[in-house]
Amino acid sequence: MTVDAAEPGSLARWWARALDWRLGHADAGEVDVDPPEGEPGVPLVFVPVREPKRGPNRVHLDLDTSSPADQRQTVQFLLDAGARRADVGQGDAPWVVLADPEGNEFCVLDPRPQYEGCGRVAAIVVQALRPQALAAFWAPLTGWEPARSDPAAAALRDGRTGPYLEFVRTTTAHAVKNRWHLDVRPTSPPPGQDRVVLAAREAGARPVDVGQHRRVSWVVLADPEGNEFCVLSGRG
């Protein structure tokens, strides 16, 4: 998961503390936050951008809690750390919507049995006009399996551990570049990348220009609903 940030180092340190994860690789181009060794999770990669955040994020994290008391304590801990409450139209939902110091929304969930074993992050949530269709597009790209589906949402998961990748119905179409997006890394070096790009395009992806340099090693695409993602060059 790649995160656009005005101050990548500062935001990475905030999320490392928020999730109780560890700081990983860091240089001028990125700062990584990794799950504790041996625990499930998708690493976060914070990269510098100049563009300000515009509107609610289309992709966000849901954090797991184990009890009502744990939810209250987690919310208070995050508020004390610099988060703020956010209103995205959730009304009196049982989950709590917060925003990190750069305004990125995320949810602290009420305790739910289906998220046991996920780790600190219960789900990566993507708003979708057609959740089932978008889940079907992403399943072969991630190698994750369908986990559940209903009229309002569809979910994928990497076996029985780690977070869900959830596609939740919305009526609002993608309009601006996502500040949080997924990166896909082939399990073999080129031409593995070429095969992944070709398969994605045949499934409905399209190339997009987000200002990337011509000589970068990754390929930037958008899924059928316009969500940007990168196909990396393979395992180094």
Side-chain angles (χ1 to χ4, degrees):
M1 174 68 71
T2 295
V3 182
D4 290 352
E7 298 182 7
S10 177
L11 196 60
R13 289 189 293 273
W14 191 89
W15 275 99
R17 182 184 178 196
L19 299 174
D20 196 20
W21 286 11
R22 55 195 172 93
L23 290 170
H25 172 81
D27 59 29
E30 68 177 72
V31 182
D32 299 351
V33 175
D34 300 322
E37 189 169 355
E39 293 188 15
V42 174
L44 305 179
V45 178
F46 296 82
V47 298
V49 298
R50 295 181 179 179
E51 300 83 3
K53 183 178 186 293
R54 292 188 292 163
N57 286 352
R58 200 168 184 82
V59 181
H60 71 267
L61 301 183
D62 281 354
L63 306 189
D64 186 31
T65 62
S66 59
S67 67
D70 182 36
Q71 183 188 30
R72 291 190 298 271
Q73 292 166 3
T74 298
V75 168
Q76 190 59 56
F77 168 78
L78 294 167
L79 291 172
D80 291 343
R84 59 175 176 79
R85 295 185 183 272
D87 185 351
V88 294
Q90 69 269 22
D92 59 354
W95 57 87
V96 178
V97 183
L98 301 177
D100 71 18
E102 292 200 8
N104 299 295
E105 303 86 3
F106 63 98
C107 298
V108 180
L109 297 179
D110 49 299
R112 305 181 189 185
Q114 67 264 36
Y115 293 124
E116 290 182 6
C118 287
R120 192 65 173 125
V121 177
I124 300 165
V125 180
V126 182
Q127 294 182 344
L129 299 174
R130 301 173 59 205
Q132 289 74 24
L134 207 56
F137 170 85
W138 276 97
L141 273 179
T142 59
W144 291 16
E145 302 170 356
R148 59 178 182 269
S149 181
D150 59 53
L156 306 174
R157 197 181 189 194
D158 184 15
R160 296 184 179 181
T161 61
Y164 289 84
L165 178 57
E166 297 183 343
F167 302 88
V168 178
R169 187 179 303 282
T170 182
T171 58
T172 304
H174 176 278
V176 298
K177 176 178 175 288
N178 291 348
R179 289 185 76 82
W180 292 59
H181 73 262
L182 293 170
D183 284 345
V184 176
R185 186 184 296 278
T187 54
S188 62
Q193 182 187 43
D194 296 334
R195 288 196 295 267
V196 172
V197 170
L198 178 60
R201 296 197 62 178
E202 289 177 343
R206 58 180 175 83
V208 291
D209 184 351
V210 294
Q212 69 270 25
H213 192 279
R214 291 182 180 180
R215 296 182 179 179
V216 297
S217 61
W218 57 87
V219 178
V220 185
L221 301 175
D223 70 19
E225 293 198 7
N227 299 296
E228 303 85 2
F229 66 98
C230 298
V231 180
L232 306 182
S233 60
R235 297 192 182 279

